[in-house]
Amino acid sequence: MKKTFTILTLLFTGFQVLAQEETPVMITDRPDATESPTPVPKGFLQLETGAYYNSFEENTIKTETVGYNTSLFRYGLLDNFELRLGVNFEETRFSINDVESDDVASGFSPLLFGFKIAVLEEKGWVPEIGILGHLYLPFTAGEDYKPETTGADFRFSFAHILSEKSSIGYNLGAQWGNDSRELAYVYTLSYGYSVSKKIGVYAEVYGDLPENSQANHFWDAGLTYSIKPNIQLDATIGKSITEGQDLLLSTGVSVRLPN
């Protein structure tokens, strides 16, 4: 839908700035953990792809994972509905006392298939609201990453404009997966700020609270740079607040077609 005044959004957080443009603004769900409530416009295809590195060391055992290709394809099927398809190829290495093991896991993790629905536009104190849901299909994964059960998640996504240069986005939901029937509640909270029309920064906390296990809490921060209205670069750094992740590094690009 074309608008004279559209919202120039800091793609991953829901940050919004008023701008005079004819083309619908591109809003992405990377690089942070907070999913925006806004679907891709009808008839548009959006590719959000990148790479990441994370590490964790416990009791002299260090685990390092590199995601060489983490991609999300989003297609606007209706004005308020998008289809989502995600693929991820990664490699995990282990070392003990700084001596690298020959045991290396490599391959595709389960394919993600899901949807996003726009529920409500922001009005006053009422936030913009969206709903997302995904299935993680075990038969699509490589042998090293194939779970025994089908994973699933759902989220309610919210966004508030705070000013012409800042906003917040947050998610609440639940997930199942990783060969466990245990339900884990998930949350995210992200703050975005526009440095200029092309550059944006964000900071975020997120995590999960399993029903019968220890909670996991994380933080990350990053920036985006818009090369063109339909092309954006991003970079992120983060780690865990609780145990579980010593370092997270991520970089990527998002492209929407047609221009």
Side-chain angles (χ1 to χ4, degrees):
M1 181 183 296
K2 296 185 177 180
K3 298 182 180 179
T4 303
F5 291 91
T6 60
I7 298 176
L8 181 61
T9 306
L10 189 59
L11 307 172
F12 39 85
T13 58
F15 162 74
Q16 299 172 323
V17 180
L18 293 180
Q20 289 186 340
E21 292 195 4
E22 291 294 327
T23 304
V25 67
M26 184 173 72
I27 302 174
T28 74
D29 284 339
R30 65 163 299 122
D32 64 350
T34 300
E35 309 276 22
S36 79
T38 307
V40 171
K42 181 180 178 180
F44 285 86
L45 174 65
Q46 198 158 296
L47 168 62
E48 304 172 14
T49 187
Y52 66 87
Y53 166 86
N54 66 50
S55 66
F56 176 60
E57 185 170 359
E58 184 179 29
N59 298 328
T60 73
I61 300 176
K62 186 174 184 179
T63 303
E64 297 175 284
T65 300
V66 177
Y68 293 103
N69 174 25
T70 174
S71 298
L72 177 65
F73 297 86
R74 304 169 58 194
Y75 179 72
L77 188 63
L78 302 172
D79 290 334
N80 66 339
F81 182 86
E82 75 173 44
L83 294 175
R84 301 160 65 85
L85 182 68
V87 295
N88 181 41
F89 184 90
E90 62 186 33
E91 182 178 273
T92 302
R93 295 182 177 272
F94 308 91
S95 58
I96 302 174
N97 292 323
D98 296 326
V99 178
E100 188 170 301
S101 170
D102 293 332
D103 185 15
V104 178
S106 179
F108 286 96
S109 56
L111 188 75
L112 172 154
F113 180 72
F115 67 91
K116 180 189 290 188
I117 301 174
V119 176
L120 195 64
E121 294 184 356
E122 182 174 7
K123 186 176 182 181
W125 61 270
V126 178
E128 181 182 0
I129 302 175
I131 298 176
L132 300 89
H134 304 100
L135 292 176
Y136 299 83
L137 307 176
F139 59 86
T140 63
E143 289 299 322
D144 291 338
Y145 295 101
K146 182 175 293 185
E148 294 183 359
T149 59
T150 299
D153 69 53
F154 74 90
R155 297 188 185 193
F156 293 94
S157 177
F158 307 89
H160 286 278
I161 298 174
L162 301 179
S163 70
E164 289 187 352
K165 288 196 171 186
S166 65
S167 78
I168 60 171
Y170 51 98
N171 295 169
L172 296 171
Q175 62 186 18
W176 300 261
N178 297 322
D179 289 328
S180 173
R181 296 182 180 275
E182 183 180 14
L183 172 69
Y185 300 99
V186 297
Y187 74 91
T188 73
L189 175 61
S190 184
Y191 170 79
Y193 183 81
S194 175
V195 178
S196 68
K197 288 185 177 182
K198 289 183 175 290
I199 300 174
V201 295
Y202 84 95
E204 175 189 48
V205 293
Y206 63 100
D208 60 79
L209 298 89
E211 288 183 315
N212 302 309
S213 305
Q214 180 179 345
N216 304 289
H217 305 289
F218 307 85
W219 69 266
D220 60 21
L223 59 86
T224 60
Y225 178 75
S226 296
I227 299 177
K228 293 182 178 182
N230 68 320
I231 304 176
Q232 178 173 283
L233 305 178
D234 62 65
T236 294
I237 186 171
K239 66 173 298 182
S240 60
I241 299 171
T242 55
E243 292 186 356
Q245 181 174 262
D246 297 325
L247 177 65
L248 166 68
L249 298 174
S250 173
T251 185
V253 60
S254 298
V255 180
R256 188 177 68 186
L257 300 172
N259 186 0

mmCIF file of all heavy atoms in Angstrom, residues 135-161:
data_model
loop_
_atom_site.group_PDB
_atom_site.id
_atom_site.type_symbol
_atom_site.label_atom_id
_atom_site.label_comp_id
_atom_site.label_asym_id
_atom_site.label_seq_id
_atom_site.Cartn_x
_atom_site.Cartn_y
_atom_site.Cartn_z
ATOM 1 N N LEU A 135 7.179 -23.524 12.487
ATOM 2 C CA LEU A 135 7.512 -24.924 12.703
ATOM 3 C C LEU A 135 8.947 -25.151 12.257
ATOM 4 O O LEU A 135 9.400 -24.557 11.272
ATOM 5 C CB LEU A 135 6.582 -25.843 11.911
ATOM 6 C CG LEU A 135 5.115 -25.909 12.339
ATOM 7 C CD1 LEU A 135 4.343 -26.802 11.374
ATOM 8 C CD2 LEU A 135 4.983 -26.433 13.766
ATOM 9 N N TYR A 136 9.682 -26.018 12.981
ATOM 10 C CA TYR A 136 11.057 -26.373 12.633
ATOM 11 C C TYR A 136 11.052 -27.856 12.255
ATOM 12 O O TYR A 136 10.875 -28.725 13.110
ATOM 13 C CB TYR A 136 11.991 -26.109 13.806
ATOM 14 C CG TYR A 136 12.018 -24.656 14.214
ATOM 15 C CD1 TYR A 136 11.040 -24.133 15.062
ATOM 16 C CD2 TYR A 136 13.008 -23.803 13.742
ATOM 17 C CE1 TYR A 136 11.053 -22.796 15.438
ATOM 18 C CE2 TYR A 136 13.035 -22.461 14.117
ATOM 19 C CZ TYR A 136 12.054 -21.969 14.959
ATOM 20 O OH TYR A 136 12.060 -20.646 15.334
ATOM 21 N N LEU A 137 11.227 -28.147 10.968
ATOM 22 C CA LEU A 137 10.968 -29.473 10.426
ATOM 23 C C LEU A 137 12.216 -30.347 10.505
ATOM 24 O O LEU A 137 13.202 -30.113 9.787
ATOM 25 C CB LEU A 137 10.506 -29.350 8.976
ATOM 26 C CG LEU A 137 9.322 -28.380 8.773
ATOM 27 C CD1 LEU A 137 8.997 -28.242 7.296
ATOM 28 C CD2 LEU A 137 8.109 -28.838 9.571
ATOM 29 N N PRO A 138 12.225 -31.384 11.357
ATOM 30 C CA PRO A 138 13.438 -32.181 11.586
ATOM 31 C C PRO A 138 13.924 -32.949 10.364
ATOM 32 O O PRO A 138 15.127 -33.164 10.207
ATOM 33 C CB PRO A 138 13.018 -33.136 12.717
ATOM 34 C CG PRO A 138 11.537 -33.192 12.661
ATOM 35 C CD PRO A 138 11.098 -31.844 12.191
ATOM 36 N N PHE A 139 13.026 -33.382 9.467
ATOM 37 C CA PHE A 139 13.438 -34.176 8.308
ATOM 38 C C PHE A 139 14.218 -33.357 7.287
ATOM 39 O O PHE A 139 14.796 -33.905 6.347
ATOM 40 C CB PHE A 139 12.212 -34.826 7.643
ATOM 41 C CG PHE A 139 11.178 -33.854 7.161
ATOM 42 C CD1 PHE A 139 11.269 -33.267 5.907
ATOM 43 C CD2 PHE A 139 10.092 -33.511 7.971
ATOM 44 C CE1 PHE A 139 10.313 -32.369 5.460
ATOM 45 C CE2 PHE A 139 9.134 -32.616 7.535
ATOM 46 C CZ PHE A 139 9.247 -32.037 6.288
ATOM 47 N N THR A 140 14.266 -32.010 7.433
ATOM 48 C CA THR A 140 15.018 -31.158 6.516
ATOM 49 C C THR A 140 16.438 -30.890 7.007
ATOM 50 O O THR A 140 17.220 -30.250 6.296
ATOM 51 C CB THR A 140 14.300 -29.813 6.335
ATOM 52 O OG1 THR A 140 14.256 -29.118 7.602
ATOM 53 C CG2 THR A 140 12.878 -30.014 5.828
ATOM 54 N N ALA A 141 16.796 -31.351 8.199
ATOM 55 C CA ALA A 141 18.090 -31.036 8.802
ATOM 56 C C ALA A 141 19.160 -32.047 8.414
ATOM 57 O O ALA A 141 18.859 -33.199 8.069
ATOM 58 C CB ALA A 141 17.960 -30.985 10.321
ATOM 59 N N GLY A 142 20.432 -31.626 8.488
ATOM 60 C CA GLY A 142 21.545 -32.540 8.305
ATOM 61 C C GLY A 142 21.651 -33.483 9.486
ATOM 62 O O GLY A 142 21.093 -33.240 10.559
ATOM 63 N N GLU A 143 22.394 -34.570 9.308
ATOM 64 C CA GLU A 143 22.483 -35.602 10.334
ATOM 65 C C GLU A 143 23.020 -35.065 11.656
ATOM 66 O O GLU A 143 22.607 -35.511 12.728
ATOM 67 C CB GLU A 143 23.371 -36.751 9.842
ATOM 68 C CG GLU A 143 22.740 -37.587 8.747
ATOM 69 C CD GLU A 143 21.447 -38.249 9.201
ATOM 70 O OE1 GLU A 143 21.379 -38.679 10.372
ATOM 71 O OE2 GLU A 143 20.509 -38.335 8.390
ATOM 72 N N ASP A 144 23.942 -34.115 11.614
ATOM 73 C CA ASP A 144 24.545 -33.595 12.846
ATOM 74 C C ASP A 144 23.602 -32.699 13.638
ATOM 75 O O ASP A 144 23.843 -32.438 14.821
ATOM 76 C CB ASP A 144 25.824 -32.823 12.525
ATOM 77 C CG ASP A 144 26.944 -33.729 12.049
ATOM 78 O OD1 ASP A 144 26.878 -34.936 12.361
ATOM 79 O OD2 ASP A 144 27.870 -33.238 11.375
ATOM 80 N N TYR A 145 22.552 -32.202 12.992
ATOM 81 C CA TYR A 145 21.649 -31.264 13.667
ATOM 82 C C TYR A 145 20.188 -31.717 13.618
ATOM 83 O O TYR A 145 19.287 -30.921 13.835
ATOM 84 C CB TYR A 145 21.765 -29.874 13.035
ATOM 85 C CG TYR A 145 23.121 -29.238 13.217
ATOM 86 C CD1 TYR A 145 24.050 -29.232 12.180
ATOM 87 C CD2 TYR A 145 23.475 -28.654 14.423
ATOM 88 C CE1 TYR A 145 25.299 -28.662 12.339
ATOM 89 C CE2 TYR A 145 24.717 -28.067 14.597
ATOM 90 C CZ TYR A 145 25.624 -28.083 13.550
ATOM 91 O OH TYR A 145 26.870 -27.512 13.728
ATOM 92 N N LYS A 146 19.967 -32.994 13.343
ATOM 93 C CA LYS A 146 18.593 -33.474 13.189
ATOM 94 C C LYS A 146 18.003 -33.837 14.546
ATOM 95 O O LYS A 146 18.458 -34.768 15.208
ATOM 96 C CB LYS A 146 18.556 -34.694 12.272
ATOM 97 C CG LYS A 146 17.139 -35.223 12.011
ATOM 98 C CD LYS A 146 17.158 -36.353 10.995
ATOM 99 C CE LYS A 146 17.557 -35.842 9.631
ATOM 100 N NZ LYS A 146 17.467 -36.901 8.594
ATOM 101 N N PRO A 147 16.956 -33.113 14.997
ATOM 102 C CA PRO A 147 16.292 -33.456 16.267
ATOM 103 C C PRO A 147 15.297 -34.595 16.057
ATOM 104 O O PRO A 147 14.934 -34.923 14.914
ATOM 105 C CB PRO A 147 15.567 -32.165 16.638
ATOM 106 C CG PRO A 147 15.258 -31.540 15.317
ATOM 107 C CD PRO A 147 16.393 -31.906 14.395
ATOM 108 N N GLU A 148 14.845 -35.171 17.143
ATOM 109 C CA GLU A 148 13.883 -36.269 17.058
ATOM 110 C C GLU A 148 12.449 -35.772 17.000
ATOM 111 O O GLU A 148 11.553 -36.516 16.607
ATOM 112 C CB GLU A 148 14.059 -37.199 18.258
ATOM 113 C CG GLU A 148 15.395 -37.932 18.286
ATOM 114 C CD GLU A 148 15.492 -38.885 19.449
ATOM 115 O OE1 GLU A 148 14.527 -38.958 20.233
ATOM 116 O OE2 GLU A 148 16.534 -39.557 19.587
ATOM 117 N N THR A 149 12.223 -34.528 17.386
ATOM 118 C CA THR A 149 10.862 -33.992 17.427
ATOM 119 C C THR A 149 10.773 -32.707 16.609
ATOM 120 O O THR A 149 11.776 -32.056 16.327
ATOM 121 C CB THR A 149 10.428 -33.685 18.872
ATOM 122 O OG1 THR A 149 11.344 -32.728 19.446
ATOM 123 C CG2 THR A 149 10.431 -34.947 19.713
ATOM 124 N N THR A 150 9.561 -32.357 16.230
ATOM 125 C CA THR A 150 9.305 -31.117 15.502
ATOM 126 C C THR A 150 9.236 -29.944 16.479
ATOM 127 O O THR A 150 8.457 -29.974 17.428
ATOM 128 C CB THR A 150 7.985 -31.208 14.731
ATOM 129 O OG1 THR A 150 8.063 -32.277 13.792
ATOM 130 C CG2 THR A 150 7.689 -29.910 13.990
ATOM 131 N N GLY A 151 10.056 -28.934 16.254
ATOM 132 C CA GLY A 151 10.039 -27.746 17.099
ATOM 133 C C GLY A 151 8.981 -26.750 16.633
ATOM 134 O O GLY A 151 8.527 -26.795 15.478
ATOM 135 N N ALA A 152 8.566 -25.873 17.519
ATOM 136 C CA ALA A 152 7.561 -24.864 17.188
ATOM 137 C C ALA A 152 7.731 -23.662 18.100
ATOM 138 O O ALA A 152 8.277 -23.765 19.200
ATOM 139 C CB ALA A 152 6.147 -25.437 17.328
ATOM 140 N N ASP A 153 7.283 -22.504 17.616
ATOM 141 C CA ASP A 153 7.244 -21.322 18.472
ATOM 142 C C ASP A 153 6.134 -20.390 18.003
ATOM 143 O O ASP A 153 5.672 -20.483 16.862
ATOM 144 C CB ASP A 153 8.594 -20.592 18.507
ATOM 145 C CG ASP A 153 8.949 -19.918 17.190
ATOM 146 O OD1 ASP A 153 8.138 -19.145 16.658
ATOM 147 O OD2 ASP A 153 10.072 -20.153 16.679
ATOM 148 N N PHE A 154 5.717 -19.518 18.894
ATOM 149 C CA PHE A 154 4.801 -18.443 18.526
ATOM 150 C C PHE A 154 5.143 -17.222 19.363
ATOM 151 O O PHE A 154 5.686 -17.328 20.463
ATOM 152 C CB PHE A 154 3.331 -18.839 18.735
ATOM 153 C CG PHE A 154 2.906 -18.878 20.173
ATOM 154 C CD1 PHE A 154 2.386 -17.749 20.786
ATOM 155 C CD2 PHE A 154 3.045 -20.042 20.924
ATOM 156 C CE1 PHE A 154 2.002 -17.776 22.124
ATOM 157 C CE2 PHE A 154 2.672 -20.077 22.255
ATOM 158 C CZ PHE A 154 2.143 -18.946 22.856
ATOM 159 N N ARG A 155 4.834 -16.040 18.819
ATOM 160 C CA ARG A 155 5.122 -14.797 19.528
ATOM 161 C C ARG A 155 4.043 -13.756 19.243
ATOM 162 O O ARG A 155 3.495 -13.699 18.140
ATOM 163 C CB ARG A 155 6.466 -14.199 19.084
ATOM 164 C CG ARG A 155 7.675 -15.035 19.376
ATOM 165 C CD ARG A 155 8.938 -14.255 19.070
ATOM 166 N NE ARG A 155 10.128 -15.073 19.241
ATOM 167 C CZ ARG A 155 11.351 -14.596 19.289
ATOM 168 N NH1 ARG A 155 11.544 -13.287 19.164
ATOM 169 N NH2 ARG A 155 12.387 -15.397 19.445
ATOM 170 N N PHE A 156 3.787 -12.941 20.233
ATOM 171 C CA PHE A 156 3.068 -11.692 20.045
ATOM 172 C C PHE A 156 4.129 -10.599 19.955
ATOM 173 O O PHE A 156 4.994 -10.495 20.824
ATOM 174 C CB PHE A 156 2.115 -11.424 21.207
ATOM 175 C CG PHE A 156 0.981 -12.406 21.291
ATOM 176 C CD1 PHE A 156 1.080 -13.535 22.097
ATOM 177 C CD2 PHE A 156 -0.177 -12.213 20.553
ATOM 178 C CE1 PHE A 156 0.050 -14.450 22.179
ATOM 179 C CE2 PHE A 156 -1.224 -13.127 20.634
ATOM 180 C CZ PHE A 156 -1.110 -14.243 21.444
ATOM 181 N N SER A 157 4.071 -9.801 18.898
ATOM 182 C CA SER A 157 5.056 -8.750 18.674
ATOM 183 C C SER A 157 4.410 -7.378 18.842
ATOM 184 O O SER A 157 3.305 -7.136 18.337
ATOM 185 C CB SER A 157 5.650 -8.884 17.264
ATOM 186 O OG SER A 157 6.560 -7.840 17.004
ATOM 187 N N PHE A 158 5.103 -6.475 19.545
ATOM 188 C CA PHE A 158 4.579 -5.145 19.844
ATOM 189 C C PHE A 158 5.623 -4.078 19.492
ATOM 190 O O PHE A 158 6.826 -4.334 19.586
ATOM 191 C CB PHE A 158 4.244 -5.014 21.333
ATOM 192 C CG PHE A 158 3.343 -6.100 21.862
ATOM 193 C CD1 PHE A 158 3.889 -7.276 22.360
ATOM 194 C CD2 PHE A 158 1.962 -5.946 21.868
ATOM 195 C CE1 PHE A 158 3.073 -8.284 22.857
ATOM 196 C CE2 PHE A 158 1.133 -6.941 22.360
ATOM 197 C CZ PHE A 158 1.691 -8.111 22.850
ATOM 198 N N ALA A 159 5.164 -2.885 19.110
ATOM 199 C CA ALA A 159 6.067 -1.772 18.824
ATOM 200 C C ALA A 159 5.413 -0.459 19.223
ATOM 201 O O ALA A 159 4.210 -0.256 19.000
ATOM 202 C CB ALA A 159 6.451 -1.741 17.351
ATOM 203 N N HIS A 160 6.207 0.434 19.827
ATOM 204 C CA HIS A 160 5.761 1.774 20.227
ATOM 205 C C HIS A 160 6.721 2.817 19.659
ATOM 206 O O HIS A 160 7.941 2.682 19.803
ATOM 207 C CB HIS A 160 5.780 1.941 21.745
ATOM 208 C CG HIS A 160 4.691 1.240 22.467
ATOM 209 N ND1 HIS A 160 3.418 1.755 22.606
ATOM 210 C CD2 HIS A 160 4.680 0.045 23.100
ATOM 211 C CE1 HIS A 160 2.685 0.911 23.313
ATOM 212 N NE2 HIS A 160 3.423 -0.131 23.615
ATOM 213 N N ILE A 161 6.201 3.887 19.048
ATOM 214 C CA ILE A 161 7.013 5.041 18.690
ATOM 215 C C ILE A 161 7.174 5.908 19.929
ATOM 216 O O ILE A 161 6.192 6.282 20.567
ATOM 217 C CB ILE A 161 6.353 5.859 17.570
ATOM 218 C CG1 ILE A 161 6.215 5.024 16.301
ATOM 219 C CG2 ILE A 161 7.160 7.118 17.287
ATOM 220 C CD1 ILE A 161 5.441 5.705 15.209
#
